[in-house]
Amino acid sequence: MYAAERHQAIADLVNKRNRVSVTELAAHFDVTTETVRRDLSTLERLKLVRRVHGGAVSIGSLTVLEAKLPERGLEHADEKDAIARAALELLPAEGGTLVLDAGTTTVRLAELLPTDRRWTVLTNAVPIAALLAPAGHVELQLLPGRVRTTTQAAVGHATIEALGHFRADLAFVGTNGLTVAHGFSTPDPEEAATKHAMVTAAQRVVALADSSKVGQERTVRFARIDEVDVLVTDPAIDAADLQQLEVAGLEVVRAS
C-alpha cells in the first residue's frame, strides 16, 4: 500500500470509529507506530483527523467539545516543555509584571520562572495560582470570575473588568487555533473575551502554541495576527504556515 492510500484508509477508519489508537492503526496496516504518528501528523495538517494523546479522533467528534486540561497536558508534552523553556528568553531581565493565561504550556512556564528576579503575576488559572501562591519571588494577583471546569480558568465580566485596571509588561497566552486569516482563536466565547482582555492589558504579547495548533481555526477569534508580537512554537511547524505567519508580521520562535 502506498503512503497516500494508507493516509486515506486511516482517515476513513478514524472517521468511522470516531477514535482509534496508534497501536491499533499500526497493527491494522502492518507498519510501525512511528510511521502511524507521521501519518497522523500529515492528516491533521490536512484537517482530516485530530491528533490526541495515543491516537486520533475524527474532526466531527470534536466540533462542540473541548479537551479537559489534564488531557491536553498529555498531548505534545515534549514540545510544550521546549516551548516553555524558549519563552524564558523573552522575559524582562529586570523582572516585571506578567499576565499568564490558563493552559498546559503556561503552567510549564510558571514552573520555570527565574527566582533571581521579582515578578508580579496576574493569572486567571487555578493551577498556576496554586503553583505560585507559595513562591517568595512572586506577587500573585488572582483574577476573579467564574471558573470553567474544562480549562480551570476564571472567565467572564469580572475577569475582564479586573484586567482593565492593569498594565502588564508581557502577556503569555495560549490558543486553540492560529491562521493568518482568522487570527488566534478558541472554542468558547467567554474564554475568547478573557484572552482578548489579556492581550489588551499587555505592552507585549507572546503566544505559546505547539505546531498542531497552527493552521487550525476555532469558533471565536480573540486576537488578530497584528495584535500578538511573538509566537513560540516547535520545529515541526509546517514551512508554508511559517512563511505565511512571518509575511504577516508575526515573529516566530521555534523552540529546540
Side-chain angles (χ1 to χ4, degrees):
M1 181 180 289
Y2 293 109
E5 295 174 316
R6 189 175 64 251
H7 292 166
Q8 184 61 61
I10 289 174
D12 291 343
L13 188 61
V14 171
N15 287 317
K16 180 180 179 181
R17 296 188 185 176
N18 284 332
R19 184 184 184 106
V20 183
S21 71
V22 169
T23 53
E24 285 179 293
L25 290 170
H28 185 84
F29 293 99
D30 194 24
V31 294
T32 66
T33 55
E34 290 76 13
T35 296
V36 169
R37 291 189 179 95
R38 288 194 296 270
D39 290 344
L40 293 179
S41 293
T42 299
L43 291 170
E44 185 172 54
R45 285 197 297 272
L46 294 171
K47 300 182 180 180
L48 296 176
V49 304
R50 172 77 181 274
R51 288 190 66 183
V52 296
H53 181 65
V57 298
S58 68
I59 292 292
S61 69
L62 288 180
T63 54
V64 295
L65 297 176
E66 287 179 86
K68 292 187 177 180
L69 191 66
E71 295 170 357
R72 297 208 314 269
L74 295 173
E75 297 177 12
H76 308 286
D78 292 341
E79 291 88 344
K80 291 174 181 180
D81 288 338
I83 289 167
R85 290 193 298 270
L88 292 175
E89 301 299 319
L90 303 174
L91 290 170
E94 66 282 359
T97 300
L98 309 176
V99 174
L100 294 185
D101 185 16
T104 53
T105 310
T106 47
V107 168
R108 288 166 164 80
L109 176 59
E111 293 174 336
L112 298 174
L113 278 181
T115 58
D116 61 346
R117 283 163 268 177
R118 294 286 303 173
W119 307 102
T120 297
V121 174
L122 317 174
T123 188
N124 67 329
V126 174
I128 292 176
L131 177 69
L132 295 180
H137 61 299
V138 173
E139 178 184 320
L140 178 66
Q141 295 280 346
L142 179 58
L143 296 167
R146 178 182 67 84
V147 176
R148 296 186 70 219
T149 303
T150 305
T151 58
Q152 298 177 29
V155 298
H157 176 74
T159 319
I160 294 167
E161 184 178 15
L163 281 162
H165 296 292
F166 291 99
R167 188 64 169 163
D169 299 301
L170 192 58
F172 291 97
V173 299
T175 187
N176 298 85
L178 166 58
T179 64
V180 171
H182 192 49
F184 297 82
S185 57
T186 194
D188 183 77
E190 285 191 302
E191 289 264 7
T194 301
K195 288 175 183 289
H196 180 72
M198 291 179 172
V199 169
T200 303
Q203 296 182 39
R204 185 169 168 80
V205 181
V206 178
L208 307 179
D210 65 77
S211 58
S212 70
K213 310 292 177 59
V214 181
Q216 303 292 322
E217 292 184 347
R218 297 297 178 246
T219 308
V220 190
R221 179 175 62 201
F222 66 86
R224 302 186 309 271
I225 290 291
D226 62 359
E227 292 178 301
V228 173
D229 299 287
V230 183
L231 167 67
V232 184
T233 188
D234 59 75
I237 182 172
D238 182 75
D241 289 331
L242 173 63
Q243 183 179 30
Q244 285 184 350
L245 294 172
E246 291 182 331
V247 168
L250 182 65
E251 178 184 348
V252 180
V253 174
R254 286 176 287 180
S256 57

